[in-house]
Amino acid sequence: MREHKYFVYIVCSNSGTLYIGMTNSIYRRSLEHKRDGIEGFAAKYNCTRLVYYESFDDVTKAIDREKQLKRWVRRKKIALIESRNPRWADLAEHWGAQLLFTGESMKK
């Protein structure tokens, strides 16, 4: 039987706008954000840099955590990100890069 994983994640824009979401494939979702494949708030504010994520085996726990983080004030979200990623590095910067042809951009 296949083990399921669920992820709660935070992506941000270059100006610092934060977006919190949940997915069953952090790899796919991060690439969708980079390619503007997600319509709505994240695309409108260009939230493309994955700065934080957590994994869960239970979808209910992931949904509950996403809701919890969305209720937090901004400074608490920033403290969470910086506890694991103090430089705000893009954790998915090189994901999928091996699939690109020379000179091809991640954004399509």
Side-chain angles (χ1 to χ4, degrees), residues 20-91:
I20 297 172
M22 193 203 84
T23 183
N24 64 356
S25 174
I26 192 68
Y27 176 82
R28 175 185 43 80
R29 185 56 54 91
S30 65
L31 293 180
E32 287 172 348
H33 279 289
K34 289 183 184 311
R35 295 178 178 150
D36 295 326
I38 304 288
E39 291 184 18
F41 182 91
K44 179 179 179 181
Y45 293 97
N46 200 29
C47 297
T48 59
R49 191 173 50 189
L50 178 67
V51 292
Y52 181 85
Y53 67 93
E54 300 175 17
S55 65
F56 298 86
D57 295 328
D58 182 322
V59 69
T60 305
K61 289 180 182 177
I63 292 168
D64 290 345
R65 179 63 167 164
E66 177 192 22
K67 289 178 181 179
Q68 177 188 42
L69 294 181
K70 285 184 174 188
R71 288 190 305 265
W72 284 8
V73 295
R74 181 176 173 80
R75 71 180 171 339
K76 193 169 178 179
K77 294 171 190 175
I78 289 170
L80 177 67
I81 293 165
E82 291 180 349
S83 72
R84 294 199 188 157
N85 187 2
R87 296 181 185 263
W88 290 63
D90 183 352
L91 303 174

